[in-house]
Amino acid sequence: KEIIVNDLKDVPAPRLILLHAASPANASQLADELAAALKIPKPMVIEAGPAVAAHSGPGALGAAYFT
């Protein structure tokens, strides 16, 4: 979380999406925390694809964003 906030804190209107592997509640909580920290609308949360989920394992969270 700290890395994402640090990378995006000075970016006007950052584009951010969160991914999860069988962990939608944790991803939603992280989305709420990032939205509050960055003062942005809640980021979209999606389920990671099978290739990512297979290599990261259940409960993994990821973020994709532009700086």
Side-chain angles (χ1 to χ4, degrees):
K1 176 174 119 178
E2 292 80 19
I3 293 170
I4 298 167
V5 171
N6 189 50
D7 283 353
L8 298 179
K9 66 184 176 194
D10 296 324
V11 176
R15 298 173 69 185
L16 169 65
I17 188 168
L18 299 177
L19 302 92
H20 70 86
S23 189
N26 289 339
S28 182
Q29 179 181 348
L30 179 59
D32 289 336
E33 292 173 9
L34 289 170
L38 295 168
K39 297 176 179 51
I40 61 171
K42 185 174 180 177
M44 181 184 299
V45 175
I46 62 170
E47 190 168 1
V52 172
H55 291 284
S56 63
L61 300 175
Y65 54 88
F66 297 98
T67 58

PDB file of all heavy atoms in Angstrom, residues 1-12 14-16 18 29-40 43 63-67:
ATOM      1  N   LYS A   1       0.827  -1.189   0.000  1.00  0.00           N
ATOM      2  CA  LYS A   1       0.000   0.000   0.000  1.00  0.00           C
ATOM      3  C   LYS A   1       0.874   1.256   0.000  1.00  0.00           C
ATOM      4  O   LYS A   1       0.586   2.195  -0.723  1.00  0.00           O
ATOM      5  CB  LYS A   1      -0.928  -0.046   1.203  1.00  0.00           C
ATOM      6  CG  LYS A   1      -1.784   1.186   1.368  1.00  0.00           C
ATOM      7  CD  LYS A   1      -2.768   1.007   2.489  1.00  0.00           C
ATOM      8  CE  LYS A   1      -2.540   2.016   3.561  1.00  0.00           C
ATOM      9  NZ  LYS A   1      -3.505   1.916   4.646  1.00  0.00           N
ATOM     10  N   GLU A   2       1.912   1.242   0.815  1.00  0.00           N
ATOM     11  CA  GLU A   2       2.772   2.415   0.908  1.00  0.00           C
ATOM     12  C   GLU A   2       3.458   2.720  -0.424  1.00  0.00           C
ATOM     13  O   GLU A   2       3.639   3.885  -0.793  1.00  0.00           O
ATOM     14  CB  GLU A   2       3.817   2.231   2.014  1.00  0.00           C
ATOM     15  CG  GLU A   2       3.241   2.225   3.415  1.00  0.00           C
ATOM     16  CD  GLU A   2       2.632   0.887   3.809  1.00  0.00           C
ATOM     17  OE1 GLU A   2       2.957  -0.147   3.170  1.00  0.00           O
ATOM     18  OE2 GLU A   2       1.807   0.860   4.724  1.00  0.00           O
ATOM     19  N   ILE A   3       3.848   1.694  -1.144  1.00  0.00           N
ATOM     20  CA  ILE A   3       4.500   1.893  -2.445  1.00  0.00           C
ATOM     21  C   ILE A   3       3.531   2.550  -3.426  1.00  0.00           C
ATOM     22  O   ILE A   3       3.887   3.489  -4.140  1.00  0.00           O
ATOM     23  CB  ILE A   3       5.030   0.563  -3.010  1.00  0.00           C
ATOM     24  CG1 ILE A   3       6.181   0.052  -2.133  1.00  0.00           C
ATOM     25  CG2 ILE A   3       5.494   0.724  -4.459  1.00  0.00           C
ATOM     26  CD1 ILE A   3       6.621  -1.359  -2.464  1.00  0.00           C
ATOM     27  N   ILE A   4       2.306   2.071  -3.449  1.00  0.00           N
ATOM     28  CA  ILE A   4       1.300   2.620  -4.364  1.00  0.00           C
ATOM     29  C   ILE A   4       1.027   4.085  -4.028  1.00  0.00           C
ATOM     30  O   ILE A   4       1.008   4.947  -4.911  1.00  0.00           O
ATOM     31  CB  ILE A   4       0.002   1.792  -4.314  1.00  0.00           C
ATOM     32  CG1 ILE A   4       0.266   0.368  -4.773  1.00  0.00           C
ATOM     33  CG2 ILE A   4      -1.089   2.449  -5.151  1.00  0.00           C
ATOM     34  CD1 ILE A   4      -0.861  -0.598  -4.479  1.00  0.00           C
ATOM     35  N   VAL A   5       0.813   4.368  -2.749  1.00  0.00           N
ATOM     36  CA  VAL A   5       0.545   5.751  -2.331  1.00  0.00           C
ATOM     37  C   VAL A   5       1.731   6.643  -2.680  1.00  0.00           C
ATOM     38  O   VAL A   5       1.552   7.746  -3.209  1.00  0.00           O
ATOM     39  CB  VAL A   5       0.215   5.821  -0.825  1.00  0.00           C
ATOM     40  CG1 VAL A   5       0.156   7.269  -0.348  1.00  0.00           C
ATOM     41  CG2 VAL A   5      -1.100   5.112  -0.529  1.00  0.00           C
ATOM     42  N   ASN A   6       2.934   6.171  -2.413  1.00  0.00           N
ATOM     43  CA  ASN A   6       4.123   6.973  -2.723  1.00  0.00           C
ATOM     44  C   ASN A   6       4.245   7.236  -4.228  1.00  0.00           C
ATOM     45  O   ASN A   6       4.572   8.346  -4.650  1.00  0.00           O
ATOM     46  CB  ASN A   6       5.380   6.281  -2.203  1.00  0.00           C
ATOM     47  CG  ASN A   6       6.592   7.168  -2.305  1.00  0.00           C
ATOM     48  OD1 ASN A   6       6.565   8.311  -1.868  1.00  0.00           O
ATOM     49  ND2 ASN A   6       7.664   6.648  -2.882  1.00  0.00           N
ATOM     50  N   ASP A   7       3.979   6.220  -5.038  1.00  0.00           N
ATOM     51  CA  ASP A   7       4.065   6.386  -6.493  1.00  0.00           C
ATOM     52  C   ASP A   7       3.001   7.331  -7.047  1.00  0.00           C
ATOM     53  O   ASP A   7       3.240   8.027  -8.037  1.00  0.00           O
ATOM     54  CB  ASP A   7       3.936   5.040  -7.200  1.00  0.00           C
ATOM     55  CG  ASP A   7       5.191   4.205  -7.148  1.00  0.00           C
ATOM     56  OD1 ASP A   7       6.238   4.703  -6.673  1.00  0.00           O
ATOM     57  OD2 ASP A   7       5.136   3.032  -7.582  1.00  0.00           O
ATOM     58  N   LEU A   8       1.814   7.338  -6.437  1.00  0.00           N
ATOM     59  CA  LEU A   8       0.683   8.071  -7.016  1.00  0.00           C
ATOM     60  C   LEU A   8       0.306   9.348  -6.290  1.00  0.00           C
ATOM     61  O   LEU A   8      -0.579  10.070  -6.757  1.00  0.00           O
ATOM     62  CB  LEU A   8      -0.542   7.146  -7.078  1.00  0.00           C
ATOM     63  CG  LEU A   8      -0.401   5.905  -7.948  1.00  0.00           C
ATOM     64  CD1 LEU A   8      -1.671   5.069  -7.892  1.00  0.00           C
ATOM     65  CD2 LEU A   8      -0.066   6.278  -9.390  1.00  0.00           C
ATOM     66  N   LYS A   9       0.964   9.668  -5.179  1.00  0.00           N
ATOM     67  CA  LYS A   9       0.530  10.800  -4.362  1.00  0.00           C
ATOM     68  C   LYS A   9       0.561  12.137  -5.093  1.00  0.00           C
ATOM     69  O   LYS A   9      -0.240  13.013  -4.807  1.00  0.00           O
ATOM     70  CB  LYS A   9       1.344  10.879  -3.077  1.00  0.00           C
ATOM     71  CG  LYS A   9       2.803  11.203  -3.290  1.00  0.00           C
ATOM     72  CD  LYS A   9       3.578  11.184  -1.996  1.00  0.00           C
ATOM     73  CE  LYS A   9       5.050  11.419  -2.301  1.00  0.00           C
ATOM     74  NZ  LYS A   9       5.885  11.105  -1.174  1.00  0.00           N
ATOM     75  N   ASP A  10       1.452  12.298  -6.052  1.00  0.00           N
ATOM     76  CA  ASP A  10       1.548  13.566  -6.782  1.00  0.00           C
ATOM     77  C   ASP A  10       0.985  13.496  -8.197  1.00  0.00           C
ATOM     78  O   ASP A  10       1.134  14.436  -8.976  1.00  0.00           O
ATOM     79  CB  ASP A  10       3.007  14.023  -6.837  1.00  0.00           C
ATOM     80  CG  ASP A  10       3.567  14.320  -5.459  1.00  0.00           C
ATOM     81  OD1 ASP A  10       2.810  14.836  -4.619  1.00  0.00           O
ATOM     82  OD2 ASP A  10       4.751  14.016  -5.216  1.00  0.00           O
ATOM     83  N   VAL A  11       0.346  12.395  -8.527  1.00  0.00           N
ATOM     84  CA  VAL A  11      -0.231  12.211  -9.863  1.00  0.00           C
ATOM     85  C   VAL A  11      -1.678  12.716  -9.847  1.00  0.00           C
ATOM     86  O   VAL A  11      -2.487  12.210  -9.073  1.00  0.00           O
ATOM     87  CB  VAL A  11      -0.190  10.722 -10.281  1.00  0.00           C
ATOM     88  CG1 VAL A  11      -0.875  10.527 -11.624  1.00  0.00           C
ATOM     89  CG2 VAL A  11       1.233  10.208 -10.308  1.00  0.00           C
ATOM     90  N   PRO A  12      -1.998  13.715 -10.660  1.00  0.00           N
ATOM     91  CA  PRO A  12      -3.389  14.160 -10.710  1.00  0.00           C
ATOM     92  C   PRO A  12      -4.250  13.107 -11.411  1.00  0.00           C
ATOM     93  O   PRO A  12      -3.895  12.624 -12.474  1.00  0.00           O
ATOM     94  CB  PRO A  12      -3.327  15.459 -11.512  1.00  0.00           C
ATOM     95  CG  PRO A  12      -2.062  15.371 -12.295  1.00  0.00           C
ATOM     96  CD  PRO A  12      -1.128  14.470 -11.546  1.00  0.00           C
ATOM     97  N   PRO A  14      -4.928   9.744 -10.825  1.00  0.00           N
ATOM     98  CA  PRO A  14      -4.247   8.497 -11.194  1.00  0.00           C
ATOM     99  C   PRO A  14      -5.236   7.432 -11.665  1.00  0.00           C
ATOM    100  O   PRO A  14      -6.384   7.402 -11.220  1.00  0.00           O
ATOM    101  CB  PRO A  14      -3.561   8.069  -9.894  1.00  0.00           C
ATOM    102  CG  PRO A  14      -4.358   8.705  -8.813  1.00  0.00           C
ATOM    103  CD  PRO A  14      -4.863   9.993  -9.389  1.00  0.00           C
ATOM    104  N   ARG A  15      -4.769   6.595 -12.561  1.00  0.00           N
ATOM    105  CA  ARG A  15      -5.577   5.474 -13.062  1.00  0.00           C
ATOM    106  C   ARG A  15      -5.081   4.222 -12.361  1.00  0.00           C
ATOM    107  O   ARG A  15      -3.952   3.799 -12.539  1.00  0.00           O
ATOM    108  CB  ARG A  15      -5.434   5.378 -14.568  1.00  0.00           C
ATOM    109  CG  ARG A  15      -5.961   6.644 -15.243  1.00  0.00           C
ATOM    110  CD  ARG A  15      -5.695   6.658 -16.708  1.00  0.00           C
ATOM    111  NE  ARG A  15      -6.503   5.644 -17.369  1.00  0.00           N
ATOM    112  CZ  ARG A  15      -6.416   5.347 -18.660  1.00  0.00           C
ATOM    113  NH1 ARG A  15      -5.562   5.989 -19.412  1.00  0.00           N
ATOM    114  NH2 ARG A  15      -7.165   4.421 -19.187  1.00  0.00           N
ATOM    115  N   LEU A  16      -5.944   3.628 -11.542  1.00  0.00           N
ATOM    116  CA  LEU A  16      -5.567   2.535 -10.663  1.00  0.00           C
ATOM    117  C   LEU A  16      -6.628   1.448 -10.698  1.00  0.00           C
ATOM    118  O   LEU A  16      -7.824   1.732 -10.699  1.00  0.00           O
ATOM    119  CB  LEU A  16      -5.413   3.084  -9.235  1.00  0.00           C
ATOM    120  CG  LEU A  16      -5.275   2.110  -8.071  1.00  0.00           C
ATOM    121  CD1 LEU A  16      -3.976   1.320  -8.176  1.00  0.00           C
ATOM    122  CD2 LEU A  16      -5.314   2.877  -6.754  1.00  0.00           C
ATOM    123  N   LEU A  18      -7.243  -2.665  -8.961  1.00  0.00           N
ATOM    124  CA  LEU A  18      -6.736  -3.687  -8.057  1.00  0.00           C
ATOM    125  C   LEU A  18      -7.210  -5.057  -8.516  1.00  0.00           C
ATOM    126  O   LEU A  18      -8.323  -5.207  -9.013  1.00  0.00           O
ATOM    127  CB  LEU A  18      -7.204  -3.429  -6.627  1.00  0.00           C
ATOM    128  CG  LEU A  18      -6.744  -2.111  -6.025  1.00  0.00           C
ATOM    129  CD1 LEU A  18      -7.329  -1.941  -4.627  1.00  0.00           C
ATOM    130  CD2 LEU A  18      -5.236  -2.025  -5.977  1.00  0.00           C
ATOM    131  N   GLN A  29     -11.167  -3.796   0.781  1.00  0.00           N
ATOM    132  CA  GLN A  29     -10.647  -3.014   1.896  1.00  0.00           C
ATOM    133  C   GLN A  29      -9.441  -2.177   1.449  1.00  0.00           C
ATOM    134  O   GLN A  29      -9.336  -1.000   1.778  1.00  0.00           O
ATOM    135  CB  GLN A  29     -10.239  -3.916   3.050  1.00  0.00           C
ATOM    136  CG  GLN A  29      -9.657  -3.158   4.228  1.00  0.00           C
ATOM    137  CD  GLN A  29      -9.239  -4.064   5.366  1.00  0.00           C
ATOM    138  OE1 GLN A  29      -9.570  -5.237   5.403  1.00  0.00           O
ATOM    139  NE2 GLN A  29      -8.489  -3.513   6.300  1.00  0.00           N
ATOM    140  N   LEU A  30      -8.554  -2.782   0.682  1.00  0.00           N
ATOM    141  CA  LEU A  30      -7.400  -2.049   0.163  1.00  0.00           C
ATOM    142  C   LEU A  30      -7.849  -0.917  -0.753  1.00  0.00           C
ATOM    143  O   LEU A  30      -7.307   0.188  -0.705  1.00  0.00           O
ATOM    144  CB  LEU A  30      -6.445  -2.987  -0.568  1.00  0.00           C
ATOM    145  CG  LEU A  30      -5.204  -2.346  -1.180  1.00  0.00           C
ATOM    146  CD1 LEU A  30      -4.362  -1.643  -0.115  1.00  0.00           C
ATOM    147  CD2 LEU A  30      -4.380  -3.386  -1.928  1.00  0.00           C
ATOM    148  N   ALA A  31      -8.852  -1.165  -1.569  1.00  0.00           N
ATOM    149  CA  ALA A  31      -9.381  -0.125  -2.462  1.00  0.00           C
ATOM    150  C   ALA A  31      -9.913   1.053  -1.657  1.00  0.00           C
ATOM    151  O   ALA A  31      -9.665   2.214  -2.006  1.00  0.00           O
ATOM    152  CB  ALA A  31     -10.476  -0.703  -3.359  1.00  0.00           C
ATOM    153  N   ASP A  32     -10.629   0.769  -0.570  1.00  0.00           N
ATOM    154  CA  ASP A  32     -11.132   1.840   0.292  1.00  0.00           C
ATOM    155  C   ASP A  32      -9.988   2.637   0.902  1.00  0.00           C
ATOM    156  O   ASP A  32     -10.019   3.871   0.940  1.00  0.00           O
ATOM    157  CB  ASP A  32     -12.005   1.259   1.416  1.00  0.00           C
ATOM    158  CG  ASP A  32     -13.335   0.723   0.925  1.00  0.00           C
ATOM    159  OD1 ASP A  32     -13.815   1.172  -0.138  1.00  0.00           O
ATOM    160  OD2 ASP A  32     -13.899  -0.146   1.613  1.00  0.00           O
ATOM    161  N   GLU A  33      -8.962   1.940   1.384  1.00  0.00           N
ATOM    162  CA  GLU A  33      -7.818   2.603   2.016  1.00  0.00           C
ATOM    163  C   GLU A  33      -7.050   3.472   1.006  1.00  0.00           C
ATOM    164  O   GLU A  33      -6.646   4.590   1.327  1.00  0.00           O
ATOM    165  CB  GLU A  33      -6.889   1.575   2.645  1.00  0.00           C
ATOM    166  CG  GLU A  33      -7.492   0.865   3.836  1.00  0.00           C
ATOM    167  CD  GLU A  33      -6.636  -0.282   4.351  1.00  0.00           C
ATOM    168  OE1 GLU A  33      -5.477  -0.442   3.900  1.00  0.00           O
ATOM    169  OE2 GLU A  33      -7.139  -1.035   5.207  1.00  0.00           O
ATOM    170  N   LEU A  34      -6.864   2.948  -0.198  1.00  0.00           N
ATOM    171  CA  LEU A  34      -6.151   3.725  -1.221  1.00  0.00           C
ATOM    172  C   LEU A  34      -6.965   4.934  -1.667  1.00  0.00           C
ATOM    173  O   LEU A  34      -6.408   6.012  -1.889  1.00  0.00           O
ATOM    174  CB  LEU A  34      -5.803   2.835  -2.411  1.00  0.00           C
ATOM    175  CG  LEU A  34      -4.710   1.804  -2.148  1.00  0.00           C
ATOM    176  CD1 LEU A  34      -4.623   0.815  -3.297  1.00  0.00           C
ATOM    177  CD2 LEU A  34      -3.373   2.479  -1.912  1.00  0.00           C
ATOM    178  N   ALA A  35      -8.269   4.752  -1.799  1.00  0.00           N
ATOM    179  CA  ALA A  35      -9.122   5.875  -2.187  1.00  0.00           C
ATOM    180  C   ALA A  35      -9.034   6.998  -1.157  1.00  0.00           C
ATOM    181  O   ALA A  35      -8.924   8.173  -1.508  1.00  0.00           O
ATOM    182  CB  ALA A  35     -10.567   5.408  -2.353  1.00  0.00           C
ATOM    183  N   ALA A  36      -9.039   6.629   0.115  1.00  0.00           N
ATOM    184  CA  ALA A  36      -8.944   7.636   1.176  1.00  0.00           C
ATOM    185  C   ALA A  36      -7.567   8.296   1.177  1.00  0.00           C
ATOM    186  O   ALA A  36      -7.458   9.525   1.295  1.00  0.00           O
ATOM    187  CB  ALA A  36      -9.235   6.996   2.526  1.00  0.00           C
ATOM    188  N   ALA A  37      -6.520   7.503   1.048  1.00  0.00           N
ATOM    189  CA  ALA A  37      -5.161   8.037   1.103  1.00  0.00           C
ATOM    190  C   ALA A  37      -4.855   8.946  -0.081  1.00  0.00           C
ATOM    191  O   ALA A  37      -4.143   9.946   0.071  1.00  0.00           O
ATOM    192  CB  ALA A  37      -4.149   6.898   1.162  1.00  0.00           C
ATOM    193  N   LEU A  38      -5.384   8.602  -1.249  1.00  0.00           N
ATOM    194  CA  LEU A  38      -5.090   9.363  -2.469  1.00  0.00           C
ATOM    195  C   LEU A  38      -6.166  10.394  -2.818  1.00  0.00           C
ATOM    196  O   LEU A  38      -6.022  11.138  -3.774  1.00  0.00           O
ATOM    197  CB  LEU A  38      -4.898   8.406  -3.645  1.00  0.00           C
ATOM    198  CG  LEU A  38      -3.701   7.470  -3.540  1.00  0.00           C
ATOM    199  CD1 LEU A  38      -3.773   6.375  -4.602  1.00  0.00           C
ATOM    200  CD2 LEU A  38      -2.398   8.251  -3.653  1.00  0.00           C
ATOM    201  N   LYS A  39      -7.261  10.370  -2.042  1.00  0.00           N
ATOM    202  CA  LYS A  39      -8.391  11.280  -2.290  1.00  0.00           C
ATOM    203  C   LYS A  39      -8.915  11.129  -3.717  1.00  0.00           C
ATOM    204  O   LYS A  39      -9.034  12.097  -4.468  1.00  0.00           O
ATOM    205  CB  LYS A  39      -7.999  12.717  -1.978  1.00  0.00           C
ATOM    206  CG  LYS A  39      -7.633  12.930  -0.519  1.00  0.00           C
ATOM    207  CD  LYS A  39      -7.166  14.336  -0.261  1.00  0.00           C
ATOM    208  CE  LYS A  39      -6.816  14.610   1.181  1.00  0.00           C
ATOM    209  NZ  LYS A  39      -5.911  13.690   1.832  1.00  0.00           N
ATOM    210  N   ILE A  40      -9.205   9.866  -4.071  1.00  0.00           N
ATOM    211  CA  ILE A  40      -9.730   9.526  -5.389  1.00  0.00           C
ATOM    212  C   ILE A  40     -10.962   8.647  -5.209  1.00  0.00           C
ATOM    213  O   ILE A  40     -11.184   8.105  -4.123  1.00  0.00           O
ATOM    214  CB  ILE A  40      -8.683   8.766  -6.247  1.00  0.00           C
ATOM    215  CG1 ILE A  40      -8.271   7.451  -5.574  1.00  0.00           C
ATOM    216  CG2 ILE A  40      -7.471   9.657  -6.521  1.00  0.00           C
ATOM    217  CD1 ILE A  40      -7.413   6.533  -6.430  1.00  0.00           C
ATOM    218  N   PRO A  43     -11.046   2.639  -6.439  1.00  0.00           N
ATOM    219  CA  PRO A  43     -10.578   1.970  -7.659  1.00  0.00           C
ATOM    220  C   PRO A  43     -11.395   0.714  -7.978  1.00  0.00           C
ATOM    221  O   PRO A  43     -11.976   0.097  -7.092  1.00  0.00           O
ATOM    222  CB  PRO A  43      -9.136   1.568  -7.327  1.00  0.00           C
ATOM    223  CG  PRO A  43      -8.773   2.267  -6.084  1.00  0.00           C
ATOM    224  CD  PRO A  43     -10.038   2.628  -5.389  1.00  0.00           C
ATOM    225  N   ALA A  63      -1.826  -4.611  -7.977  1.00  0.00           N
ATOM    226  CA  ALA A  63      -2.277  -3.295  -8.418  1.00  0.00           C
ATOM    227  C   ALA A  63      -1.651  -2.990  -9.763  1.00  0.00           C
ATOM    228  O   ALA A  63      -0.499  -3.349 -10.021  1.00  0.00           O
ATOM    229  CB  ALA A  63      -1.875  -2.233  -7.406  1.00  0.00           C
ATOM    230  N   ALA A  64      -2.423  -2.361 -10.590  1.00  0.00           N
ATOM    231  CA  ALA A  64      -1.927  -1.868 -11.879  1.00  0.00           C
ATOM    232  C   ALA A  64      -2.285  -0.400 -11.950  1.00  0.00           C
ATOM    233  O   ALA A  64      -3.404  -0.001 -11.615  1.00  0.00           O
ATOM    234  CB  ALA A  64      -2.567  -2.630 -13.022  1.00  0.00           C
ATOM    235  N   TYR A  65      -1.292   0.416 -12.332  1.00  0.00           N
ATOM    236  CA  TYR A  65      -1.545   1.846 -12.408  1.00  0.00           C
ATOM    237  C   TYR A  65      -0.553   2.517 -13.331  1.00  0.00           C
ATOM    238  O   TYR A  65       0.486   1.971 -13.660  1.00  0.00           O
ATOM    239  CB  TYR A  65      -1.514   2.497 -11.024  1.00  0.00           C
ATOM    240  CG  TYR A  65      -0.254   2.247 -10.226  1.00  0.00           C
ATOM    241  CD1 TYR A  65       0.859   3.060 -10.340  1.00  0.00           C
ATOM    242  CD2 TYR A  65      -0.197   1.184  -9.325  1.00  0.00           C
ATOM    243  CE1 TYR A  65       2.005   2.839  -9.600  1.00  0.00           C
ATOM    244  CE2 TYR A  65       0.932   0.951  -8.569  1.00  0.00           C
ATOM    245  CZ  TYR A  65       2.033   1.775  -8.703  1.00  0.00           C
ATOM    246  OH  TYR A  65       3.157   1.553  -7.958  1.00  0.00           O
ATOM    247  N   PHE A  66      -0.928   3.726 -13.773  1.00  0.00           N
ATOM    248  CA  PHE A  66      -0.072   4.556 -14.605  1.00  0.00           C
ATOM    249  C   PHE A  66       0.455   5.701 -13.753  1.00  0.00           C
ATOM    250  O   PHE A  66      -0.261   6.249 -12.928  1.00  0.00           O
ATOM    251  CB  PHE A  66      -0.845   5.157 -15.782  1.00  0.00           C
ATOM    252  CG  PHE A  66      -1.383   4.143 -16.735  1.00  0.00           C
ATOM    253  CD1 PHE A  66      -2.696   3.718 -16.651  1.00  0.00           C
ATOM    254  CD2 PHE A  66      -0.568   3.613 -17.716  1.00  0.00           C
ATOM    255  CE1 PHE A  66      -3.196   2.800 -17.530  1.00  0.00           C
ATOM    256  CE2 PHE A  66      -1.065   2.690 -18.601  1.00  0.00           C
ATOM    257  CZ  PHE A  66      -2.378   2.264 -18.514  1.00  0.00           C
ATOM    258  N   THR A  67       1.713   6.077 -13.962  1.00  0.00           N
ATOM    259  CA  THR A  67       2.248   7.240 -13.267  1.00  0.00           C
ATOM    260  C   THR A  67       2.633   8.290 -14.283  1.00  0.00           C
ATOM    261  O   THR A  67       2.720   8.048 -15.455  1.00  0.00           O
ATOM    262  CB  THR A  67       3.501   6.904 -12.439  1.00  0.00           C
ATOM    263  OG1 THR A  67       4.488   6.357 -13.302  1.00  0.00           O
ATOM    264  CG2 THR A  67       3.176   5.937 -11.331  1.00  0.00           C
TER     265      THR A  67
END
